[in-house]
Amino acid sequence: MTTITRTLGPELHRIRQGYWRVIAPSGVVLGYVEEFESDGVPRFRARRLLGTARLVEFGEFWQRADAVEALR
């Protein structure tokens, strides 16, 4: 018997250090997550992709997983 594990949530594809593309299980690009520092503390900024070229700020988060979840 073979077990297949499927990811129900979005996937992250690293573009460069501190910057990820967020892709839905269907293959659609949802947006991007960027890591930055605020007062010496790492934070994560979520940007939603609208259409083919417009990025809209979606929020700033303490955890990368929270930023990804916001783009779901």
Side-chain angles (χ1 to χ4, degrees):
M1 179 194 256
T2 303
T3 302
I4 299 173
T5 303
R6 295 188 182 202
T7 304
L8 298 177
E11 291 182 18
L12 289 177
H13 292 262
R14 184 174 163 199
I15 295 176
R16 64 178 185 270
Q17 181 70 29
Y19 199 76
W20 298 268
R21 180 180 295 127
V22 181
I23 302 176
S26 66
V28 173
V29 176
L30 299 173
Y32 298 88
V33 171
E34 178 182 17
E35 183 176 358
F36 67 100
E37 276 195 26
S38 177
D39 296 324
V41 178
R43 301 268 297 172
F44 298 89
R45 182 177 293 126
R47 292 186 174 115
R48 166 76 69 189
L49 181 63
L50 298 178
T52 57
R54 185 173 169 210
L55 286 173
V56 176
E57 288 280 332
F58 222 63
E60 294 181 1
F61 303 87
W62 294 107
Q63 301 291 322
R64 185 177 67 181
D66 293 339
V68 171
E69 187 62 30
L71 295 174
R72 183 186 281 264

